[in-house]
Amino acid sequence: AEAGPWIIVMLDTCFMHKHQDQHSWDPPHLHPDTMFIPEEEVKRWEAKVCDVCPLRAVKKQMNHFKHSMWVPKSALDVCLGSFNAAHETLAKVSASGYDNTTYAAMLCPHNACLFMVAMDSSGERQHFMLVLMAELFKHILDDWSVGCLYDIGCQTEWSCHKWGFLKEYLHQIVWGVSVFHAYGHNWACQLIYHPQKCSGFRLCDGEGCECCWSCL
């Protein structure tokens, strides 16, 4: 049998769905079986990320392999640059009049939503994806491995190794890049993270979140 993760999940964000600010209007109403992760948990992860890797100037480093990564730092830098350029306009969208401007979701390969996060910033910040992954591991067996397809799975794995995020689960995670976004990554990154080159992802393309956004 083909080796690979026991289960596969897909992560993505949507910048097109906004929620008008209801403060001082109606009392908050939350569905008893909500798939949204509590705001307190999201804030806890935001604080954790900010404490571990605060914003600061990053010194230029030589090209190298580090932290058990299979892709050199120069290739990862190219991927990150492309991602930031693509989201530069989205990050400038005005949040005036809205209490939620973006949503992040985790879906299974059958395109069923498992967990969702209401993002309070227009930028695709890392802690939103980390809290989704942490929530998943609360609901699966300890020996299960997880294949995670995300637009910048390469960058997320690098951050986890570098800063120690999800360190208790990192050995159980196989990272990949959603197939439609993989071609925007450096060729060296594609060799490792393209789902059709990673054992175990089979024909899952990682783009099921788009079906969720379309339904909403």
Side-chain angles (χ1 to χ4, degrees), residues 4-5 87 108 164 167 178 193:
H87 286 74
C108 75
K167 58 183 179 182
S178 307
Y193 292 99

Side-chain angles (χ1 to χ4, degrees), residues 102-169:
T102 314
Y103 293 93
M106 172 184 285
L107 276 71
C108 75
H110 301 93
N111 298 343
C113 186
L114 302 177
F115 305 107
M116 191 172 285
V117 172
M119 300 168 62
D120 56 3
S121 65
S122 56
E124 192 165 340
R125 299 175 64 184
Q126 200 168 63
H127 68 275
F128 294 116
M129 300 305 163
L130 296 176
V131 72
L132 287 169
M133 290 297 293
E135 188 68 22
L136 173 67
F137 279 100
K138 296 177 182 178
H139 295 81
I140 63 175
L141 298 180
D142 294 340
D143 60 346
W144 282 16
S145 58
V146 178
C148 179
L149 292 172
Y150 175 39
D151 297 352
I152 51 169
C154 56
Q155 300 296 322
T156 307
E157 182 179 18
W158 163 251
S159 292
C160 287
H161 280 294
K162 183 176 181 180
W163 302 108
F165 301 136
L166 303 175
K167 58 183 179 182
E168 61 270 41
Y169 311 121

